[in-house]
Amino acid sequence: MRVKILILTNLFPTPWDPQRSPFNRQQFERLGQRHDVEVLAAVPFQERFTRAYSHVEIPGLRTGHFVFVYPPRVGRALHASCWLACLLLQHGRRLRDEHYDCLLASWAYPDAVAVSRLAKRMGIPYAVKVHGSDLNEQANDPPRRRKIRTALHGAGAVIAVSQALADKAVSIGAEASRVHTLYNGVDGERFMPGSRSDARARLQLPATARLMLYVGNLKQAKGCIDLLEALPALLVEQPDARLIYVGDGPCRELLSQRCAALGLQQHVELRGAIPHAALGDWFRAADLLCLPSHNEGVPNVVLEAMACGIPVVATRVGGIPEVVPGYAGILVAPRETSALAAALREACQRDWDSKRIALHGGSFRWDDNIDRLDTILQSVATESPAFDTGAMA
């Protein structure tokens, strides 16, 4: 059965952030091959008026955006109301005439909270997809936790990217029978093993240096500073080691300053954001991927690196332990620089089985993911919505 789905989220490419959330782009694009899918992305007002515009077009999807205006720094309890008000002011009349079969919110707060209220207004069912810090951090605040609980409890399905996150959703108030663990997938045509020397030649990287790769947002919670602080201890044993950061974010300047203070300029590069389609060579060129996040769901870069046969050094948080077996990486506690440095040293000395790692990473297939997502959303779309009386709270 073909259904009409409206996806509402802040995690999707926009004209002001075209590289945002490639995992959602890949998933929703594939879902659009089976159903009539429209995606509306929430764009924070600061981003809308401070970043350059670039055209974004995704085959098979109707896409759009709305500008999300909210009180900065204070008034976070009002964000869901602001989110919904902005959406309705900019798209409300059209949305009422579209006759969607179901809504999907991808992010718990404020997105899912606002979507739960929108679904009640429209009289249609909704599902919620949760990713990591939207529950692990946002739900730690009591007022927000209550709103998130109501949104999860009223959802026809809650889709979690890890079992740890699924358990968290149930503990907050989601009905266990409606919670599904659905790991993201890997594009097997882009992320596969290949020649390290050829990849380095294409990227103009040193042929013999020990190369560690960080891919992701440059922010404190991703552990990018922790990784830099761990590097000097590794250089004692691996003086040719190089650390390359692929990504951008608020910590970029701090990383540059700290790198200079530690005298690491010859060993560290900040390459900036790179299109998702070009990441395959970066993984194949690396000796290992390093992602010492403080909290996570299941980062797709971990799955993609393993699919390329690259081992992972990461933190034992969120769903990472569920997807990184001992033969594919080393996990440490977050925020422990000495343990991270020891793990990097061990990883550089260990003889990894790249074929086994690639076989494991490649087992996370988008086709399997979409099959299950398709089944879940069709089930939600065919159910009568049962709205909690507290949904408008």
Side-chain angles (χ1 to χ4, degrees):
M1 181 181 73
R2 193 173 181 91
V3 296
K4 190 171 184 178
I5 304 165
L6 173 62
I7 301 174
L8 295 143
T9 182
N10 74 88
L11 296 178
F12 198 73
T14 73
W16 298 274
D17 192 358
Q19 304 302 327
R20 184 165 176 76
S21 305
F23 50 88
N24 266 354
R25 174 176 182 158
Q26 293 176 87
Q27 185 183 57
F28 300 159
E29 185 175 359
R30 286 167 171 81
L31 185 64
Q33 294 171 5
R34 304 189 185 192
H35 299 286
D36 298 323
V37 177
E38 179 180 357
V39 184
L40 283 179
V43 180
F45 69 96
Q46 304 101 318
E47 184 176 296
R48 167 63 180 82
F49 296 109
T50 58
R51 292 191 179 184
Y53 179 96
S54 60
H55 181 68
V56 173
E57 184 174 346
I58 300 176
L61 288 179
R62 291 174 60 195
T63 62
H65 65 271
F66 65 97
V67 179
F68 172 32
V69 181
Y70 56 90
R73 298 181 184 158
V74 296
R76 241 178 222 225
L78 300 174
H79 282 194
S81 297
C82 294
W83 197 101
L84 180 57
C86 292
L87 172 66
L88 292 176
L89 283 170
Q90 297 168 56
H91 291 277
R93 180 174 297 179
R94 181 182 67 81
L95 296 184
R96 286 191 292 270
D97 296 334
E98 287 285 352
H99 304 294
Y100 301 105
D101 295 301
C102 72
L103 308 178
L104 171 61
S106 185
W107 194 252
Y109 188 87
D111 308 39
V113 174
V115 167
S116 69
R117 301 172 185 177
L118 177 66
K120 183 171 184 176
R121 292 172 67 107
M122 298 176 71
I124 58 177
Y126 70 97
V128 175
K129 183 182 176 186
V130 292
H131 296 265
S133 58
D134 52 343
L135 295 190
N136 294 328
E137 291 185 357
Q138 297 278 10
N140 290 334
D141 175 73
R144 273 174 269 159
R145 186 184 182 92
R146 288 192 293 271
K147 292 178 171 64
I148 292 170
R149 178 189 298 119
T150 298
L152 297 182
H153 184 72
V158 176
I159 302 157
V161 298
S162 73
Q163 184 59 51
L165 204 56
D167 294 341
K168 180 78 171 182
V170 173
S171 73
I172 289 173
E175 186 177 328
S177 64
R178 294 178 179 268
V179 177
H180 309 266
T181 299
L182 185 58
Y183 298 110
N184 280 337
V186 172
D187 185 340
E189 295 182 0
R190 289 178 177 171
F191 301 102
M192 65 182 76
S195 168
R196 177 171 295 163
S197 59
D198 289 350
R200 290 192 179 191
R202 285 190 291 268
L203 297 173
Q204 298 183 325
L205 296 172
T208 59
R210 184 72 67 175
L211 178 57
M212 296 171 297
L213 183 67
Y214 171 102
V215 179
N217 291 328
L218 302 183
K219 57 182 183 179
Q220 291 272 9
K222 289 289 186 180
C224 59
I225 302 296
D226 302 341
L227 181 56
L228 186 68
E229 299 287 349
L231 183 59
L234 174 65
L235 291 173
V236 174
E237 296 182 5
Q238 300 282 341
D240 69 334
R242 295 183 66 174
L243 170 58
I244 295 181
Y245 287 91
V246 170
D248 212 340
C251 281
R252 183 183 180 94
E253 184 59 31
L254 179 58
L255 278 170
S256 295
Q257 294 172 359
R258 191 65 188 140
C259 182
L262 293 170
L264 298 174
Q265 296 96 322
Q266 294 183 342
H267 299 276
V268 177
E269 293 183 58
L270 302 177
R271 286 288 183 130
I274 290 174
H276 182 255
L279 284 178
D281 265 349
W282 287 93
F283 290 129
R284 287 183 282 270
D287 290 283
L288 59 114
L289 175 77
C290 312
L291 191 67
S293 300
H294 299 169
N295 61 76
E296 277 290 357
V298 172
N300 249 50
V301 294
V302 168
L303 305 180
E304 291 163 350
M306 291 190 298
C308 292
I310 306 305
V312 175
V313 171
T315 38
R316 197 177 294 106
V317 297
I320 293 178
E322 300 170 30
V323 300
V324 181
Y327 62 80
I330 302 173
L331 304 183
V332 299
R335 300 183 178 89
E336 294 191 8
T337 304
S338 59
L340 178 59
L344 293 174
R345 292 196 299 270
E346 181 183 347
C348 287
Q349 295 168 357
R350 187 183 294 187
D351 185 18
W352 298 96
D353 186 342
S354 295
K355 290 183 179 179
R356 189 181 183 192
I357 295 172
L359 186 63
H360 170 67
S363 69
F364 295 90
R365 301 174 63 250
W366 275 122
D367 285 348
D368 298 334
N369 175 286
I370 299 302
D371 284 345
R372 287 199 59 210
L373 181 63
D374 186 342
T375 300
I376 293 167
L377 292 179
Q378 286 203 53
S379 176
V380 171
T382 55
E383 286 188 3
S384 297
F387 295 110
D388 193 300
T389 55
M392 297 299 287

